Amino acid sequence: MDRILKTSVLLAISILLSACEQAAPPVESDTLVVVAETGPSVEEAVEFVAEAEDRLARLGQHSERVQWVLQNFITVDTELLAARAAEDFTAAKVELAEQAARYVDLEGLDYDTRRKLDFLRSDITIPAPQDPVKTAEQAEIGARLSGMYGKGTWCREDGRCLALGELEDIMAHSRDPAELLEAWEGWRTISPPMKPLYARQVELANEGARDLGFDNLGTMWRSAYDMDPADFPDELDRVWAQVRPLYEALHCHVRAKLAEQYGSGLVPLDGPIPAHLLGNMWAQEWNNVYELVAPEETADSYDLTAILNEQHFDALRMVKTAEAFFSSLGFKPLPDTFWERSLFEKPADRDVVCHAVAWNIDEKDDLRIKMCIDVNSEDFKVIHHELGHNYYYRAYNQESYLYRASANDGFHEAVGDTISLSITPEYLQQIDLLDEVPDASGDLGLLMKQALAKIAFLPFGLMVDQWRWKVFAGEVGPEGYNDLWWKLREQYQGVSAPGERPADAFDPGAKFHVPANFPYTRYFLSHILQFQFHRALCEVAGNEGPIHRCSIYGSEQAGQRLNAMMEMGRSKPWPVALEALTGASTMDAGAILDYFAPLKEWLDEQNADRQCGW
């Protein structure tokens, strides 16, 4: 039944009951009538959940379409349209969250109804206050922040303006510390205007979280992990402690090699590494400095970027190749609409948000990706990753609306990266990108490349939300945002700002996920889970060699195991989904240690006479 119609019927019934009460005969004076106030029933809760799912599905589809238009055609008008759609969707989610609170303590609720009520109450990234004026303000701020990032450029003194992609190219390829510093600082000029908007957004979102019964937005975000929000940070610390020795060994070696390149005056051998020297705009991955830190004794196995260009790959062929990987696992091809509606290349005539994102427009089969693809090894892997999201979307599309999500948000990221781990020399030889599989002499180099991308990322993946949780909890105000950011980056990563930052700096805003309000812990989780997934699927595929050489390409048995987990969506707690795929119900970084064992042994040898730590 339509919610408005239902409300009207309830109002009519109320009026009729009132009329009947007035027409009833008088009660004898010695008769006591007790009218009990009855609360909501189980049947009402079930009906409420069904109506809520239907309403959210309709509004969510509309919001997705408008957001797609905004990110592909960034204008004042599309920002306003997106703001209104987000406002309507958020307002509905907040309204339903408030109503859900009436039912969560009912006795006799079935498993699905209770689980869905919990999702309705907590499943909002940026909850809006009950005040509709504040809801509108919050939606407008969100659209403005997204637009500011998407349109961000830095203009040199010569008048040439550079977009993020061009600045990233400088960060990746230049070895001139002055040029690197200029590009690094240049991109961060886009974010100071975001700081007052972000601070206001924090105020509004915290108010919305409190309206829903949470003490702040950080607690609300952590409540989505099938465990006490207060215990979740301890679980992250437990897993991080498993892999920290590997990270510290990698950090020690990279720092020593960068000091050889740039001098110990710029890279102190007992301190954090300056962020602009690590080959990435955010120093979150270090694979672009591979040539400076590579094991000298390893064989130069192959250059995938060169191979792709030699074989005349373009954006479309790269996506088709990734689709073929999933087909080899037994998944059906992507729909025709995927190829008609996706964005693969940056348009020349307009601003778009180039950050790679997979989309599920209608919660069924309108699957897309939006990505400005370059023909290189990194984007080849990213495409495999993004399609992982699309196939996960389709796997659970038969579930009801509130179950159409991954077991936890780390699972979604982990599935695509699990596929990327299978982009091994063996896989490349199978698809005719290599004539023959290189021998084991090149493994150390390949493991170093993987570690610079995967292991280097782990503390960054952990600290972004550590920063936000402290901001949401009010431990620091806008004046301290930047100082806290760099304090945590040094604590977790051993990475520092290149120099003193301006008083108005807002360096967190230079990272897409902060102004876009995408929770980031999912990426840390995914970097743990993907290796756990990979090891389990390799066992299913019958791999008998080291897991860093395993590819599940062509194994329908592995595809069936993966799909069985993905089809569950989030209908069960994530430990159940994890056990269905891996046989274990707890996260375990042991698979990472197995994968990188040869590299860790080599790093320890290299670091024997070095002072490690910071």
Side-chain angles (χ1 to χ4, degrees), residues 23 99 107 110 161 171 204 241 251 287 313-314 317 333 374 381 418 438 466 597 600 611:
Q99 294 176 15
E107 296 290 338
D110 63 272
C161 295
M171 299 298 298
L204 294 170
H251 180 281
N287 41 299
F313 269 69
D314 58 14
R317 187 177 172 191
D374 291 322
K381 294 178 181 178
T418 299
Q466 296 284 347
K600 178 60 163 61
Q611 179 179 340

Side-chain angles (χ1 to χ4, degrees), residues 1-3 47-61 89 96 120 400-402 404:
M1 185 186 297
D2 181 73
R3 184 183 61 86
E47 183 178 5
F48 164 76
V49 167
E51 291 179 354
E53 289 193 290
D54 179 66
R55 183 182 176 193
L56 290 175
R58 287 184 284 106
L59 287 172
Q61 182 179 149
F89 192 31
L96 293 170
L120 283 169
S400 57
Y401 176 80
L402 287 170
R404 291 178 204 152

Side-chain angles (χ1 to χ4, degrees), residues 93-144:
K93 292 174 81 171
V94 170
E95 176 189 333
L96 293 170
E98 293 167 354
Q99 294 176 15
R102 299 179 58 235
Y103 302 103
V104 292
D105 293 327
L106 276 177
E107 296 290 338
L109 288 174
D110 63 272
Y111 168 86
D112 289 314
T113 300
R114 184 173 297 282
R115 185 164 178 80
K116 290 177 180 180
L117 286 169
D118 288 338
F119 288 146
L120 283 169
R121 182 168 167 264
S122 62
D123 203 15
I124 306 172
T125 302
I126 300 293
Q130 295 179 2
D131 183 341
V133 175
K134 291 181 178 179
T135 298
E137 179 188 6
Q138 185 190 69
E140 183 178 351
I141 288 173
R144 288 179 63 191

Side-chain angles (χ1 to χ4, degrees), residues 48 109 222-223 236 305 487 510 534 588:
F48 164 76
L109 288 174
R222 294 191 300 274
S223 71
L236 299 181
T305 297
K487 177 182 177 181
H534 179 65
D588 177 23

Side-chain angles (χ1 to χ4, degrees), residues 325 328-330 418-419 421-422 424 426 430 532-547 549-562 581-582:
F325 189 108
S328 82
L329 301 180
T418 299
I419 300 302
L421 289 175
S422 280
T424 62
E426 287 79 0
Q430 286 177 285
Q532 197 170 352
F533 291 178
H534 179 65
R535 182 171 62 182
L537 292 174
C538 285
E539 291 172 359
V540 172
N543 175 66
E544 296 180 353
I547 64 170
R549 276 191 162 245
C550 168
S551 176
I552 63 170
Y553 178 78
S555 172
E556 293 194 4
Q557 293 86 351
Q560 290 166 3
R561 176 73 70 89
L562 178 62
L581 179 58
T582 70

Side-chain angles (χ1 to χ4, degrees), residues 134-346:
K134 291 181 178 179
T135 298
E137 179 188 6
Q138 185 190 69
E140 183 178 351
I141 288 173
R144 288 179 63 191
L145 288 171
S146 180
M148 291 166 75
Y149 190 94
K151 293 185 291 188
T153 59
W154 170 66
C155 297
R156 288 174 158 171
E157 292 182 1
D158 62 7
R160 183 189 174 199
C161 295
L162 303 178
L164 176 58
E166 297 167 297
L167 292 169
E168 285 187 286
D169 284 341
I170 294 172
M171 299 298 298
H173 303 297
S174 176
R175 295 294 179 253
D176 178 350
E179 184 179 29
L180 290 169
L181 179 61
E182 184 182 48
W184 188 93
E185 291 180 338
W187 177 244
R188 281 154 182 79
T189 62
I190 74 160
S191 52
M194 297 179 186
K195 181 154 66 170
L197 291 172
Y198 187 80
R200 177 58 177 158
Q201 187 178 61
V202 169
E203 293 176 359
L204 294 170
N206 270 339
E207 183 177 337
R210 288 192 294 271
D211 288 343
L212 297 175
F214 300 95
D215 55 2
N216 63 67
L217 184 58
T219 301
M220 185 171 172
W221 282 10
R222 294 191 300 274
S223 71
Y225 290 98
D226 290 311
M227 61 191 304
D228 189 322
D231 295 335
F232 186 57
D234 292 337
E235 177 67 2
L236 299 181
D237 287 342
R238 178 188 68 80
V239 178
W240 168 236
Q242 285 184 274
V243 292
R244 180 165 181 161
L246 174 59
Y247 175 80
E248 290 180 341
L250 180 67
H251 180 281
C252 190
H253 175 70
V254 169
R255 181 178 62 189
K257 289 298 182 179
L258 291 178
E260 291 179 12
Q261 173 74 20
Y262 297 111
S264 58
L266 189 56
V267 185
L269 290 171
D270 59 354
I273 302 172
H276 66 306
L277 301 178
L278 285 161
N280 176 272
M281 181 59 78
W282 305 277
Q284 66 184 56
E285 296 169 344
W286 305 348
N287 41 299
N288 287 320
V289 300
Y290 172 77
E291 65 184 50
L292 302 179
V293 305
E296 294 180 4
E297 63 269 31
T298 190
D300 186 12
S301 54
Y302 63 91
D303 182 342
L304 181 55
T305 297
I307 293 170
L308 293 170
N309 282 282
E310 287 167 4
Q311 296 204 20
H312 307 293
F313 269 69
D314 58 14
L316 181 61
R317 187 177 172 191
M318 288 174 71
V319 182
K320 287 285 189 180
T321 302
E323 181 194 36
F325 189 108
F326 286 90
S327 296
S328 82
L329 301 180
F331 292 94
K332 67 180 182 179
L334 292 165
D336 291 342
T337 52
F338 172 86
W339 306 103
E340 296 164 1
R341 300 171 184 176
S342 291
L343 177 77
F344 300 139
E345 297 178 293
K346 180 176 173 59

Side-chain angles (χ1 to χ4, degrees), residues 471-491:
V471 168
F472 296 154
E475 295 182 26
V476 65
E479 71 286 347
Y481 283 173
N482 222 53
D483 289 342
L484 176 62
W485 177 258
W486 287 107
K487 177 182 177 181
L488 291 173
R489 294 204 65 177
E490 182 168 336
Q491 174 186 336

Side-chain angles (χ1 to χ4, degrees), residues 294-435:
E296 294 180 4
E297 63 269 31
T298 190
D300 186 12
S301 54
Y302 63 91
D303 182 342
L304 181 55
T305 297
I307 293 170
L308 293 170
N309 282 282
E310 287 167 4
Q311 296 204 20
H312 307 293
F313 269 69
D314 58 14
L316 181 61
R317 187 177 172 191
M318 288 174 71
V319 182
K320 287 285 189 180
T321 302
E323 181 194 36
F325 189 108
F326 286 90
S327 296
S328 82
L329 301 180
F331 292 94
K332 67 180 182 179
L334 292 165
D336 291 342
T337 52
F338 172 86
W339 306 103
E340 296 164 1
R341 300 171 184 176
S342 291
L343 177 77
F344 300 139
E345 297 178 293
K346 180 176 173 59
D349 60 345
R350 65 182 190 270
D351 291 321
V352 301
V353 177
C354 274
H355 187 86
V357 178
W359 293 69
N360 184 16
I361 299 294
D362 65 354
E363 297 287 337
K364 287 295 180 182
D365 215 34
D366 189 351
L367 307 168
R368 310 178 191 180
I369 62 170
K370 176 190 58 60
M371 180 179 177
C372 303
I373 297 172
D374 291 322
V375 179
N376 58 43
S377 61
E378 181 178 356
D379 280 7
F380 187 76
K381 294 178 181 178
V382 169
I383 293 165
H384 284 71
H385 170 96
E386 296 303 331
L387 290 195
H389 288 298
N390 291 129
Y391 283 94
Y392 206 160
Y393 292 145
R394 190 163 66 181
Y396 58 60
N397 69 11
Q398 298 305 310
E399 290 286 349
S400 57
Y401 176 80
L402 287 170
Y403 284 165
R404 291 178 204 152
S406 59
N408 68 39
D409 52 10
F411 275 62
H412 237 307
E413 299 300 329
V415 164
D417 278 347
T418 299
I419 300 302
S420 295
L421 289 175
S422 280
I423 302 177
T424 62
E426 287 79 0
Y427 164 59
L428 297 176
Q429 191 270 337
Q430 286 177 285
I431 63 173
D432 298 324
L433 289 183
L434 287 177
D435 292 330

